[in-house]
Amino acid sequence: MKKIIAAAFITLAFTFTVFAENSAGFGLNYTSTKVEIEDYENVKQNEFGIQGFYYHVSDTGRFALKTTLDLGVAESDLFENWDSQYMSILLGLGIAAIKQPKFNLAIFTTIGIDYVNYNWEEKVSGTTLDLEANNLDLTLGLDVLAKFRFAKHFGMYADLNVRALGGTFEVSKETHTVKTTVSYDNTGFAVEPSIGVCWTF
């Protein structure tokens, strides 16, 4: 077991030492999500936020890695308030189809997590209900990254991620004395374009 762990560590370390190009990016993203909730109804969500990513491409070949973090807010046709949070984490493995000094076009298969949280209040028969909805999904998708370098280190990027998702949609209602929670299975898909600046080193 120790030999396997050591071999995996050496392989990982070697992989990262042969990367010729590393980039960190920061930008804005918009995600359009459609979710089918079991025994409930279909939900359309729009997520807006900021994005950060880290991109690597190998020196000896075209192997590429990409990690992405999105943070922001969400809106839904089910809820009429903006007290919401949105987070997405993606890990992509793929190839740089075009690898030039000033331009990279990379294609990835991605896995990740999408999470959206809503909080709002309703008054029923003089009682205030605190409501919360949580949508947590595992994702599998395809990502295309175009990265342009205008100077030695500075450039811009455009990215498109399309992913299928599946997970749970949970709704909680709470008063001063009682809290009830109902959980539903859900499936769906998301389309996420993003754009921003990047630093290559």
Side-chain angles (χ1 to χ4, degrees):
M1 185 62 180
K2 290 182 179 180
K3 290 182 179 180
I4 295 174
I5 295 174
F9 179 79
I10 292 171
T11 301
L12 185 63
F14 174 76
T15 300
F16 278 91
T17 58
V18 299
F19 282 131
E21 185 173 309
N22 304 302
S23 298
F26 179 79
L28 301 175
N29 75 292
Y30 164 74
T31 306
S32 176
T33 303
K34 291 186 178 180
V35 178
E36 183 178 341
I37 303 174
E38 184 182 21
D39 299 326
Y40 198 63
E41 58 184 294
N42 296 340
V43 177
K44 181 179 180 181
Q45 294 178 158
N46 296 305
E47 296 100 29
F48 312 85
I50 58 175
Q51 178 179 91
F53 76 83
Y54 197 44
Y55 166 72
H56 312 269
V57 60
S58 65
D59 185 21
T60 56
R62 296 180 180 270
F63 176 70
L65 292 174
K66 180 171 176 277
T67 58
T68 306
L69 173 65
D70 297 333
L71 297 173
V73 297
E75 66 169 356
S76 170
D77 52 5
L78 280 182
F79 314 111
E80 296 182 356
N81 80 326
W82 278 72
D83 186 4
S84 61
Q85 299 83 40
Y86 161 67
M87 180 182 71
S88 174
I89 300 173
L90 295 174
L91 172 62
L93 302 175
I95 60 170
I98 300 175
K99 188 176 74 169
Q100 299 176 355
K102 294 187 179 295
F103 177 68
N104 273 201
L105 179 67
I107 303 171
F108 305 90
T109 298
T110 63
I111 58 173
I113 296 172
D114 278 18
Y115 173 72
V116 181
N117 169 265
Y118 298 96
N119 293 275
W120 73 104
E121 290 185 351
E122 290 182 4
K123 289 188 179 293
V124 179
S125 301
T127 300
T128 299
L129 298 177
D130 293 319
L131 294 100
E132 180 179 14
N134 292 286
N135 187 15
L136 178 63
D137 294 303
L138 298 177
T139 69
L140 177 65
L142 180 69
D143 190 278
V144 179
L145 171 70
K147 188 176 73 68
F148 310 87
R149 184 159 50 166
F150 303 130
K152 182 177 180 180
H153 297 290
F154 181 75
M156 296 188 67
Y157 77 92
D159 187 89
L160 178 64
N161 184 271
V162 180
R163 53 188 180 267
L165 48 88
T168 58
F169 190 89
E170 184 179 271
V171 179
S172 299
K173 297 181 180 181
E174 184 175 5
T175 65
H176 294 297
T177 57
V178 179
K179 181 177 181 179
T180 60
T181 301
V182 181
S183 183
Y184 307 89
D185 293 332
N186 70 263
T187 58
F189 67 91
V191 179
E192 178 188 359
S194 57
I195 190 169
V197 297
C198 58
W199 185 261
T200 299
F201 51 95

